[in-house]
Amino acid sequence: MPRLEEHCWSCSCSTTVKTKELSSASWIVCKTGEMMSIITSVLSQSYGSLHSLQSANLIRRGLVLFIVGVVLALVLNLLQIQRNVTLFPEEVLDTLFSSAWWIPLCCGTAAAVVGLLYPCLDHHLGEPHKFKREWASVMRCIAVFVGINHASAKLDFANNVQLSLTLAALSLGLWWTFDRSRSGFGLGLTTAFLATLIAQLLVYNGIYQYTSPDFLYVRSWLPCIFFSGGVTVGNIGRQLAMGSTEKPHND
Amino acid sequence: MTVRERLRQNISAAFYRHGLLCASYPVPIILFTSASILTCCYPLLKLPLPGTGPVEFTTGVRDYSVPSHESQGNLSERPDWYRGPPVAYIQQVLVKAAVSPWDNSLVPVDVFRSPLGRVFSLLEEIRNHIYTDRSLEALCLQVTDLLPGLRRMQAVLPEHGCLLVSPGNYWQNRRDLFDADPDLLKTVHQHEPKGLHTSATLKDLLFGVPGKQTGVSLYSKKRVVTYTITIALSSYDARFVASLRARLKLLHPSANCTLREDHMVHVHFKEEIGIAELIPLVTTYIILFAYIYFSTRKIDMVKSKWGLALAAVVTVLSSLLMSVGLCTLFGLTPTLNGGEIFPYLVVVIGLENVLVLTKSVVSTPVDLEVKLRIAQGLSNESWSIMKNMATELCIILIGYFTFVPAIQEFCLFAVVGLVSDFFLQMFFFTTVLSIDIRRMELADLNRRLPAEAGMPPPKPGPLRPRETPPPPRPSPHTITLQAPAFRNLRLPKRLRVVYFLARTRLAQRIIMVGTVIWIGILVYTDPAGLRTFLAAQVSEQSPLGEAGLPPHLGVAPVFPGGDPTSTLSVLPAPEPTPLPENQSQGHRAARPGVAPVSSPQITWGPEDEELWRRLSFRHWPSLFSYYNITLAKRYISILPVIPVTLHLSPQEAIDTRHPQDTHHAPPPSIKTSDLQTDLTLYKVAALGLFAGVVLVLLLFCLYRVLCPRNYGQNGVPHGRRRRGDLPCDEYGYSPPISEISPLLLRGHSMDIECLASDGMLLASCCLAGSACEAESLLGADFREPGGVAMGGPDVDIFPIRRRTNPARPALFGDQPDLTPLIDTNFGSLPPSQTLSSSGFDFGELVEKAYQEHEPSPTLAFPPSPPASQQRRRSLGDQPVLPPELPPQSNGDWDSSVWAMELRGNLIATGRSSGKLEIYQCDLICCSYFLVSISLMKMEIVAARLNGSLDFFTVEINKPLGLLQYRGPPGRGSLPPSPCYSSEDVISCQLTRSVQCAHQKPITVLKAAAGRVVTGSQDHTVRVYRLEDSCCLFTLQGHSGGITAIYIDQTMVLASGGQDGAICVWDVLTGSRVSHVYGHRGDVTSLVCTTSCIISSGLDDLICIWDRSTGIKLYSIQQEVGCGASLGVISESLLVTGGQGCVSFWDLNYGDLLQTVYLGQSSEGQGVRQLLVLDNAAIVCDFGSELSLVYVPSVLEKLD
């Protein structure tokens, strides 16, 4: 762990940019703890009833969500590791994998959990999500999410408050455009709150540090990213759930 | 009316008018739109092309001063990057060294060993040069250590000191190491990367000249070694540089050197996109393409999906281009990285409107005019489009007020993009859509045209008996169409993937594209020096060769466009730049010399001035990046080179030899070296040829593996499947051969028109007006000649009037119960006296019905022919028939049967002449002018063309006073059937008549579960109660005449219309459950199962729909003319007719289970009618024969 930390520090120092990769990293970190217990229980449960279609379906969805989370984490991490333009790709990949091999895994796990929670919550609340349920809309949502990350990483804002406010507005816009359900809003808020809390704890314990913390120990725009990430993953999860319930009909 | 409502109406009206305009003048509008797109994109020409190539700017050396940071407006020719000091000044010392005179005692290593050895003394000289107490140390660019990942280069590249690179770095700038090195070439090449490389290699970096020109090779023909000593200076001291130049020139004078020394070149490097930035970029683009894919996939029901998808993408892209162009026009230069924000812009603008438009237009009624459809579709969606656009504009406006420059700029682009996108949608896409819809209608028209044009009077083939018969003609349509389409199959996924690969030839295409890209990369990077070689070849062979050219023109300036004359003069050479002057001069020097030994000559040409241009454009960035210095968005200044010429004596070369140098092979003669190059060429050619052959073989193998055998054999006409050929789909997949053989029932002289059955009895009638009845009983097992045991029905065929002994097929020769035959050939028999004795003049009755067009309250019961009720149980017992005559008079002579129903031994037929006839095997009832009848227990419902509906009651054994007739008792034994014997008195009474059931002719009538459902051309469906003929519901929802209705005992009602729509209704409430558009043209038949709806249409397509959701599951393309023949055997077994065969399908998966051929001569006879009996047998018409197929094996397979 010390080696890792040092690496992150050197990275941030050398590139002299805001190392925002920590955001997604810490998000994942905090998620992992809570997720692991849930995942193990889910796994054992699913092994018990692997033969039933329901759980196989669940596992499939979880797997897809996990992969999506991993890919998004890798990409967004790369987006945030700023450009020390080097001609040696192995160098970049090296830093990526050595510093954060567990980041994508945690990210994927968190994505799987959140993505499975959303349709489950819909089901329990008894209000199925019908707003813009199609893959094109989901793709649009992912693109906007990546765009928000892009903006947080690359745009130069006058001050942090402005940046945070802009991102908050963008996240709310994302929710309004693609979700518009109370459960989605609530779950997104919960996700953001929990994730930020865990990030705070992690930073407090010295596992990570932010270059310029302005909200206790972390960056103030962190909750916005968590919120929009939760909404996006939930969108994917809902679409997957819908597709899987419709499948048997088709076949 | 609120403001909102009014606004909405206005918008809707405006869109309606606009839609009319667009659909009316498509071509001018498209031209206008294209012109405006081009106009708006015109300012884009002024923008620099995107790319990462470096940009140059040349200034004079004399009056050079470091540019200030502030931009000077007056110096317009200065690029805006030319501000502030450069990263470094590059001073190169270009050394050309040769051992001269050359003599035979020298070995090849001598060519470069001693010249390279001189680099150390030169380095010493340069390092120690001091001009007025300023040394190189003070001026040069100090570098720290290399990047951590470059350990293996640490020994070679300088660290912690001046950035000064030369070939001496290979030996740590130490002469003793150099002298001790036994193999120089190995040392030089050990750092070279293997394989293809695009960036600068270490050899290039150290030598400072392209690898080919160094001359460090055992087989160099020129024997001149060229290398540079590269010095990076952090600050420019003109006097120091000048003194260094003078000093070196003094020490090593270069004769005939005319290099210009008055220009320094500033090279600006764009931002390099590293892999770290590339991955997110690529990801966003992948997401973008996924978005576009998922969006355009929803385009449906149009003529060309691809065309419309392309139009949608073009709309979005050109709106983006327009926005950039307009912004540039108004002085907003985009500072954002276009490639990065582009996907987000597309996502913001979106394809939604386009899709919504398409869907809305497509869902308008098909029978409207194209213009009106477009206009209606537009106006339907106008409000939502406007609302969405307003919302998006508002959001963007909010974004604009964040006052973050980047976001503001993005918003500005997005606003302009949105507006131009709206413009394009309204003008471009709508017009394209109208053209597409029109094309689709034309295609539909073409499909239908031959149907109406090709109605030959002599023998019209009956096709669709229930299909809207406005003229009382016996045959509605004859459709002769072109090649039949093949069935769509749902195959296993694995096979589908393989077939997809085969169909699209994906593998081959990928290989081809890969090869092309590979060749492109090869040509681009030119690792083999092919370009140089070719250029040299061409220039040598060209008659204009350099002998004819003045020397200064023989070599074009490095950058074309410098002076046009030179490029013009070397036109024969395709690539004038790489032509090495000294090389060809070396040749020239070598050739006239008869002596085998040629002394190398050192020449200086203009191309030596800027030798660095031949290097990779990433040469300098990679050199600096080793020290973690980025050149992105910065520039370096390259000072004019200092030429140094070294002439070494042979003695010196021999002195510096390493002991191992002489072990090398003697120098090859020039001739052999020539030969060798030739050989190399041949080798390359042979290798290429071999690779090509291997590639072709590989492709061939792939082709054979992936493609079916008959793939691509377009010459074989698929139009008619030959007997014995299995029906195969386009993939060559053929279902298993059936072991089911059909039973043929013969007796009709012409094509069979109608079929009816109640499970035990089978009735058919043909064009000739005759009706045949066959009883199908599950009786004794019988054995087929082939030896396959199967349960087969006994078929008793009773001749009623005329005994026709059919020529029995040999197949059934041993069948005991197939002999009897019923042939009620009413039309062909002359009227006899029995009819006249009955006292009913049918001719008059018919005439009356014709004239008055109203149901006659009296029903005529003709004398029932008393014969032939025998159920033959014994073989060979010939039924003796009294010479009965048909009850019809000659009024029925040429009328054909339009509708027939059979239930419990009663047959009711409706004739085109308007008669309703009821037979009890041979009892004939009454007649009317009707189109459709339905027979339920004791009720007969008859629908008529004039829109009225008659309910009859059939009573048995009740001698009614009115119009009853007692038939003579039959002579034979009574059948053990649950039905009525012919001794019973059957009376038929018109109980009720609904005069104006429909406004227009009734086209279909179905009855079940106590309900009578009629469909009419007036676009409505009516539901009547059977008991009191009370109209319960009038169901409206179709936009065309009703052509098909399905109702069953569970009160499921589905209807299909001429508009191709299928509606499912709730019979209890009269509400519409679902409404789908599935067919182009009429829906011809409808069947429901518990889970799905099966419909067939005029387009010969059978669609299977999910009953609860109304989603189309899949469709089966039928052969032409056989579209309406389908039946459901069990919940999961569908049977369809084809050309001379019937096919069984698994309903759940759409898989073809079996195909059964009906006869030996299947040529051209399609199965048009198909009936499923209760005992898992199907009956289908087959020309003039009936075919009975029993399908136990299929059922077993399913179970």
Side-chain angles (χ1 to χ4, degrees):
Chain A
M1 204 45 99
R3 191 191 65 81
L4 198 130
E5 187 188 340
E6 173 199 311
H7 184 91
C8 287
W9 274 111
S10 69
C11 191
S12 59
C13 291
S14 64
T15 56
T16 70
V17 269
K18 298 170 274 182
T19 54
K20 281 161 194 161
E21 102 246 39
L22 296 188
S23 66
S24 50
S26 52
W27 176 32
I28 311 319
V29 180
C30 44
K31 285 277 171 176
T32 27
E34 59 172 315
M35 293 325 166
M36 276 305 173
S37 58
I38 304 175
I39 279 299
T40 45
S41 65
V42 166
L43 274 185
S44 60
Q45 189 189 352
S46 58
Y47 267 113
S49 57
L50 189 65
H51 294 288
S52 76
L53 181 75
Q54 187 77 25
S55 63
N57 193 1
L58 202 69
I59 289 179
R60 204 175 55 195
R61 271 158 54 198
L63 207 64
V64 171
L65 282 167
F66 179 79
I67 292 171
V68 167
V70 167
V71 171
L72 273 183
L74 278 176
V75 168
L76 299 183
N77 233 346
L78 264 182
L79 199 64
Q80 312 223 354
I81 294 180
Q82 284 299 318
R83 60 194 77 170
N84 44 345
V85 174
T86 168
L87 289 172
F88 294 96
E90 61 264 40
E91 183 75 3
V92 176
L93 295 179
D94 203 33
T95 48
L96 184 71
F97 287 118
S98 70
S99 76
W101 61 269
W102 43 271
I103 288 184
L105 294 187
C106 304
C107 212
T109 316
V113 170
V114 173
L116 289 179
L117 262 181
Y118 262 81
C120 182
L121 197 70
D122 282 346
H123 183 70
H124 279 293
L125 288 181
E127 37 187 48
H129 191 251
K130 289 286 180 196
F131 182 70
K132 284 192 187 173
R133 283 268 61 89
E134 54 195 14
W135 277 111
S137 163
V138 172
M139 285 298 148
R140 223 176 165 189
C141 181
I142 299 176
V144 173
F145 176 60
V146 174
I148 289 177
N149 274 272
H150 203 135
S152 79
K154 289 218 166 161
L155 293 190
D156 298 321
F157 284 87
N159 54 35
N160 274 324
V161 178
Q162 200 182 25
L163 173 65
S164 305
L165 282 182
T166 312
L167 287 188
L170 277 178
S171 317
L172 275 182
L174 180 89
W175 172 78
W176 177 253
T177 322
F178 298 106
D179 193 320
R180 281 194 210 180
S181 70
R182 282 176 301 141
S183 59
F185 190 73
L187 203 54
L189 274 189
T190 319
T191 311
F193 178 73
L194 279 182
T196 317
L197 192 71
I198 296 172
Q200 296 274 17
L201 287 180
L202 282 180
V203 175
Y204 181 74
N205 287 328
I207 296 176
Y208 268 120
Q209 218 153 355
Y210 278 89
T211 42
S212 54
D214 58 340
F215 174 57
L216 296 182
Y217 297 98
V218 296
R219 301 299 300 269
S220 52
W221 43 259
L222 210 52
C224 308
I225 299 278
F226 289 146
F227 177 79
S228 49
V231 170
T232 306
V233 171
N235 225 335
I236 303 173
R238 279 167 168 169
Q239 187 67 37
L240 281 175
M242 202 183 81
S244 61
T245 52
E246 246 179 32
K247 268 274 168 59
H249 266 301
N250 288 345
D251 295 341
Chain B
M1 191 192 283
T2 61
V3 177
R4 184 189 152 97
E5 296 263 314
R6 217 176 314 150
L7 190 66
R8 196 169 170 162
Q9 269 191 359
N10 285 339
I11 287 176
S12 185
F15 271 71
Y16 193 87
R17 280 195 296 273
H18 177 75
L20 279 183
L21 173 78
C22 280
S24 308
Y25 306 101
V27 176
I29 285 182
I30 283 194
L31 286 181
F32 162 71
T33 323
S34 312
S36 51
I37 290 175
L38 289 181
T39 317
C40 291
C41 292
Y42 175 72
L44 287 180
L45 291 180
K46 282 189 249 169
L47 288 180
L49 281 177
T52 54
V55 196
E56 297 182 17
F57 178 62
T58 308
T59 53
V61 175
R62 301 258 174 254
D63 49 352
Y64 173 76
S65 62
V66 177
S68 61
H69 280 279
E70 291 79 30
S71 60
Q72 289 119 338
N74 52 355
L75 295 171
S76 59
E77 75 274 9
R78 277 193 183 188
D80 46 2
W81 48 263
Y82 185 60
R83 283 173 206 163
V87 177
Y89 299 90
I90 305 291
Q91 176 65 63
Q92 280 192 314
V93 180
L94 179 59
V95 182
K96 288 194 177 188
V99 177
S100 70
W102 187 257
D103 65 39
N104 281 330
S105 62
L106 296 173
V107 292
V109 187
D110 291 331
V111 172
F112 52 85
R113 180 174 273 275
S114 53
L116 278 181
R118 294 291 284 272
V119 73
F120 301 104
S121 57
L122 272 174
L123 279 173
E124 205 63 24
E125 181 67 37
I126 291 169
R127 278 183 191 280
N128 295 335
H129 184 74
I130 292 176
Y131 175 76
T132 59
D133 73 306
R134 304 191 75 162
S135 72
L136 188 67
E137 282 293 321
L139 289 175
C140 76
L141 185 72
Q142 300 284 340
V143 291
T144 56
D145 45 359
L146 288 164
L147 276 181
L150 298 173
R151 304 285 170 218
R152 59 189 177 84
M153 292 212 176
Q154 242 173 352
V156 183
L157 287 175
E159 278 188 298
H160 303 290
C162 278
L163 181 56
L164 191 154
V165 288
S166 69
N169 283 90
Y170 278 119
W171 300 274
Q172 279 97 43
N173 291 333
R174 283 163 61 186
R175 179 78 197 219
D176 50 339
L177 286 181
F178 178 79
D179 286 338
D181 192 354
D183 194 347
L184 297 182
L185 281 179
K186 192 180 159 202
T187 312
V188 169
H189 287 288
Q190 70 182 352
H191 292 286
E192 292 304 293
K194 304 283 183 293
L196 203 64
H197 52 269
T198 54
S199 63
T201 64
L202 191 65
K203 188 181 175 188
D204 288 346
L205 286 182
L206 295 189
F207 278 87
V209 288
K212 292 293 153 196
Q213 300 193 4
T214 55
V216 182
S217 154
L218 288 180
Y219 310 111
S220 163
K221 284 187 282 186
K222 303 182 293 179
R223 300 199 182 100
V224 175
V225 174
T226 312
Y227 56 87
T228 60
I229 299 169
T230 307
I231 311 160
L233 303 172
S234 62
S235 57
Y236 179 65
D237 188 335
R239 286 170 302 169
F240 177 79
V241 173
S243 79
L244 180 66
R245 178 185 299 272
R247 170 79 180 158
L248 288 176
K249 275 190 170 177
L250 185 70
L251 284 177
H252 310 282
S254 308
N256 66 21
C257 175
T258 56
L259 299 187
R260 290 184 302 172
E261 299 169 356
D262 50 349
H263 282 100
M264 69 196 292
V265 182
H266 311 279
V267 184
H268 177 253
F269 293 94
K270 296 260 179 65
E271 198 170 1
E272 286 262 343
I273 296 183
I275 209 154
E277 278 126 17
L278 217 54
I279 288 179
L281 203 63
V282 168
T283 315
T284 49
Y285 272 92
I286 288 175
I287 295 174
L288 175 71
F289 283 123
Y291 168 63
I292 291 178
Y293 167 73
F294 280 120
S295 302
T296 52
R297 207 177 57 161
K298 291 186 290 185
I299 296 180
D300 208 352
M301 294 275 296
V302 290
K303 174 77 179 161
S304 150
K305 275 189 175 194
W306 280 100
L308 271 193
L310 188 70
V313 173
V314 162
T315 307
V316 172
L317 290 194
S318 47
S319 70
L320 280 185
L321 286 183
M322 278 172 78
S323 87
V324 177
L326 286 178
C327 288
T328 322
L329 187 67
F330 292 115
L332 262 167
T333 48
T335 57
L336 292 171
N337 188 345
E340 274 180 19
I341 61 165
F342 178 75
Y344 303 123
L345 273 176
V346 172
V347 164
V348 163
I349 289 176
L351 292 168
E352 260 68 27
N353 276 351
V354 170
L355 303 174
V356 163
L357 267 185
T358 314
K359 206 173 166 188
S360 155
V361 169
V362 161
S363 60
T364 50
V366 188
D367 48 352
L368 283 180
E369 209 185 333
V370 176
K371 276 190 220 172
L372 297 180
R373 287 186 71 185
I374 297 283
Q376 260 191 26
L378 266 184
S379 72
N380 283 347
E381 287 301 328
S382 60
W383 181 243
S384 73
I385 287 178
M386 291 309 286
K387 212 168 62 178
N388 279 341
M389 193 173 150
T391 320
E392 278 176 349
L393 283 182
C394 274
I395 291 175
I396 289 173
L397 208 64
I398 292 171
Y400 189 77
F401 286 107
T402 51
F403 295 111
V404 180
I407 290 186
Q408 275 182 326
E409 192 176 326
F410 180 85
C411 289
L412 210 61
F413 276 119
V415 165
V416 184
L418 266 183
V419 173
S420 51
D421 185 52
F422 180 73
F423 166 75
L424 285 184
Q425 271 167 16
M426 285 303 114
F427 283 93
F428 177 69
F429 189 77
T430 313
T431 320
V432 171
L433 191 63
S434 77
I435 291 175
D436 187 271
I437 299 260
R438 185 163 293 138
R439 275 180 62 207
M440 193 170 86
E441 300 221 327
L442 278 182
D444 278 357
L445 211 61
N446 283 339
R447 274 175 75 94
R448 283 193 212 194
L449 256 180
E452 277 135 29
M455 192 151 29
K459 195 201 173 186
L463 185 58
R464 285 172 241 281
R466 298 269 165 91
E467 200 215 42
T468 66
R473 288 214 200 169
S475 62
H477 284 308
T478 303
I479 288 195
T480 49
L481 274 191
Q482 53 281 8
F486 285 96
R487 292 145 200 264
N488 289 331
L489 281 183
R490 265 173 69 111
L491 294 169
K493 261 189 189 145
R494 164 181 52 88
L495 280 179
R496 263 187 277 167
V497 167
V498 171
Y499 290 151
F500 173 75
L501 286 179
R503 202 172 62 239
T504 56
R505 291 185 233 173
L506 205 61
Q508 290 96 319
R509 285 182 183 163
I510 287 177
I511 291 174
M512 274 168 56
V513 169
T515 316
V516 167
I517 291 174
W518 181 55
I519 290 172
I521 290 176
L522 277 189
V523 169
Y524 179 68
T525 58
D526 202 14
L530 203 63
R531 227 161 22 175
T532 327
F533 179 75
L534 281 180
Q537 290 284 319
V538 170
S539 67
E540 269 177 20
Q541 286 162 5
S542 76
L544 281 178
E546 61 244 78
L549 289 172
H552 67 278
L553 281 184
V555 178
V558 180
F559 277 81
D563 68 343
T565 54
S566 65
T567 41
L568 210 71
S569 56
V570 289
L571 204 61
E575 196 71 50
T577 34
L579 177 68
E581 167 88 341
N582 45 8
Q583 178 185 1
S584 39
Q585 284 188 349
H587 272 280
R588 211 164 45 175
R591 260 184 216 149
V594 191
V597 178
S598 63
S599 285
Q601 288 189 353
I602 296 174
T603 53
W604 293 91
E607 82 280 356
D608 291 326
E609 278 177 19
E610 291 170 336
L611 207 56
W612 53 269
R613 287 193 199 274
R614 306 269 186 91
L615 296 167
S616 158
F617 72 92
R618 304 181 63 169
H619 182 88
W620 302 116
S622 53
L623 177 63
F624 282 96
S625 71
Y626 291 160
Y627 300 96
N628 203 9
I629 300 171
T630 177
L631 290 186
K633 294 183 174 176
R634 294 158 86 184
Y635 75 100
I636 57 172
S637 300
I638 297 174
L639 304 174
V641 296
I642 304 173
V644 169
T645 311
L646 297 174
H647 286 280
L648 295 99
S649 66
Q651 188 57 45
E652 197 178 349
I654 292 172
D655 287 344
T656 53
R657 263 188 210 170
H658 189 269
Q660 287 192 8
D661 283 351
T662 46
H663 297 324
H664 286 285
S669 70
I670 298 197
K671 194 170 176 63
T672 54
S673 90
D674 268 350
L675 193 67
Q676 185 153 16
T677 56
D678 285 355
L679 270 184
T680 326
L681 190 67
Y682 291 139
K683 265 192 245 170
V684 166
L687 202 67
L689 203 65
F690 177 70
V693 170
V694 166
L695 202 68
V696 167
L697 281 180
L698 189 74
L699 286 188
F700 186 69
C701 290
L702 269 176
Y703 182 82
R704 290 307 293 265
V705 167
L706 291 178
C707 303
R709 270 167 301 169
N710 60 350
Y711 177 68
Q713 294 175 354
N714 290 327
V716 179
H718 291 288
R720 182 173 296 172
R721 201 184 297 142
R722 270 169 289 134
R723 169 73 192 150
D725 274 356
L726 284 172
C728 49
D729 53 357
E730 56 190 310
Y731 313 124
Y733 168 74
S734 60
I737 303 169
S738 71
E739 67 263 28
I740 302 171
S741 55
L743 285 176
L744 283 187
L745 312 176
R746 293 184 178 159
H748 286 294
S749 56
M750 298 180 76
D751 280 1
I752 289 170
E753 181 93 355
C754 289
L755 264 180
S757 167
D758 67 340
M760 302 297 285
L761 283 172
L762 178 65
S764 64
C765 56
C766 74
L767 266 186
S770 68
C772 278
E773 182 194 6
E775 182 192 6
S776 60
L777 287 171
L778 257 182
D781 287 355
F782 70 91
R783 198 158 281 276
E784 205 182 281
V788 182
M790 52 189 289
D794 292 344
V795 178
D796 289 352
I797 306 175
F798 288 86
I800 292 181
R801 260 164 218 100
R802 194 187 49 157
R803 173 76 193 189
T804 49
N805 261 328
R808 285 204 224 136
L811 181 67
F812 307 119
D814 56 344
Q815 298 306 310
D817 282 336
L818 287 175
T819 358
L821 189 124
I822 284 182
D823 190 354
T824 42
N825 200 344
F826 306 109
S828 61
L829 285 181
S832 85
Q833 69 283 3
T834 322
L835 176 67
S836 54
S837 70
S838 69
F840 288 98
D841 188 354
F842 260 79
E844 286 179 9
L845 186 66
V846 169
E847 296 235 337
K848 191 176 162 195
Y850 263 131
Q851 287 163 359
E852 299 183 358
H853 275 271
E854 62 174 7
S856 158
T858 62
L859 294 175
F861 268 80
S864 131
S868 74
Q869 301 84 355
Q870 314 96 325
R871 305 291 148 142
R872 301 306 315 236
R873 284 282 161 248
S874 57
L875 174 68
D877 190 358
Q878 297 284 344
V880 184
L881 302 175
E884 283 297 331
L885 292 176
Q888 291 96 339
S889 64
N890 23 5
D892 248 353
W893 192 253
D894 56 352
S895 67
S896 60
V897 176
W898 272 11
M900 183 161 68
E901 277 287 322
L902 173 67
R903 198 171 304 262
N905 221 7
L906 279 179
I907 306 171
T909 59
R911 288 180 172 269
S912 61
S913 58
K915 287 186 176 184
L916 168 71
E917 297 165 352
I918 298 181
Y919 309 88
Q920 186 218 345
C921 291
D922 44 11
L923 278 180
I924 294 163
C925 229
C926 53
S927 69
Y928 278 110
F929 189 75
L930 43 79
V931 284
S932 186
I933 53 178
S934 190
L935 193 60
M936 306 185 59
K937 288 174 188 165
M938 302 307 291
E939 304 252 5
I940 299 175
V941 187
R944 298 160 175 285
L945 264 190
N946 61 1
S948 63
L949 205 61
D950 293 335
F951 292 77
F952 299 97
T953 312
V954 179
E955 293 179 30
I956 295 164
N957 264 339
K958 283 180 189 169
L960 288 176
L962 180 67
L963 289 175
Q964 56 176 323
Y965 187 80
R966 248 192 112 76
R971 300 185 326 134
S973 61
L974 286 179
S977 76
C979 312
Y980 330 102
S981 74
S982 61
E983 288 123 49
D984 299 333
V985 174
I986 296 185
S987 65
C988 188
Q989 198 175 8
L990 178 69
T991 50
R992 291 171 298 275
S993 179
V994 181
Q995 284 299 335
C996 264
H998 282 280
Q999 307 297 326
K1000 286 188 177 174
I1002 297 174
T1003 47
V1004 278
L1005 179 143
K1006 289 275 163 111
R1011 297 283 184 275
V1012 176
V1013 185
T1014 57
S1016 159
Q1017 293 224 304
D1018 60 1
H1019 303 194
T1020 61
V1021 177
R1022 290 194 178 208
V1023 182
Y1024 291 90
R1025 196 153 54 201
L1026 192 60
E1027 303 95 66
D1028 51 357
S1029 64
C1030 156
C1031 179
L1032 297 177
F1033 303 111
T1034 299
L1035 310 175
Q1036 290 175 331
H1038 282 281
S1039 51
I1042 311 297
T1043 51
I1045 280 182
Y1046 176 86
I1047 185 168
D1048 62 9
Q1049 294 299 323
T1050 56
M1051 291 270 203
V1052 174
L1053 174 58
S1055 62
Q1058 283 175 327
D1059 51 351
I1062 298 162
C1063 293
V1064 182
W1065 310 89
D1066 186 356
V1067 182
L1068 295 177
T1069 62
S1071 63
R1072 190 166 68 185
V1073 178
S1074 59
H1075 181 220
V1076 289
Y1077 282 95
H1079 294 279
R1080 292 184 190 166
D1082 304 5
V1083 176
T1084 51
S1085 67
L1086 266 177
V1087 180
C1088 292
T1089 68
T1090 51
S1091 62
C1092 53
I1093 302 167
I1094 302 143
S1095 67
S1096 70
L1098 260 190
D1099 49 358
D1100 293 321
L1101 205 66
I1102 292 182
C1103 294
I1104 287 88
W1105 310 82
D1106 188 81
R1107 197 165 116 183
S1108 52
T1109 61
I1111 295 170
K1112 179 150 113 182
L1113 300 179
Y1114 51 90
S1115 60
I1116 301 168
Q1117 178 70 50
Q1118 282 282 81
E1119 288 174 25
V1120 175
C1122 303
S1125 60
L1126 65 95
V1128 175
I1129 294 180
S1130 70
E1131 265 304 295
S1132 56
L1133 192 60
L1134 172 73
V1135 56
T1136 63
Q1139 290 286 347
C1141 61
V1142 288
S1143 304
F1144 296 93
W1145 304 81
D1146 188 345
L1147 258 186
N1148 295 332
Y1149 299 102
D1151 291 340
L1152 180 59
L1153 294 173
Q1154 267 195 339
T1155 298
V1156 176
Y1157 283 94
L1158 298 177
Q1160 305 292 327
S1161 58
S1162 63
E1163 299 288 330
Q1165 290 182 334
V1167 174
R1168 307 221 154 86
Q1169 313 241 349
L1170 202 141
L1171 196 66
V1172 178
L1173 306 184
D1174 287 346
N1175 48 9
I1178 58 165
V1179 184
C1180 47
D1181 77 321
F1182 181 52
S1184 62
E1185 297 168 347
L1186 276 181
S1187 195
L1188 188 68
V1189 183
Y1190 189 61
V1191 282
S1193 58
V1194 175
L1195 284 183
E1196 280 160 19
K1197 212 176 273 179
L1198 277 181
D1199 296 337

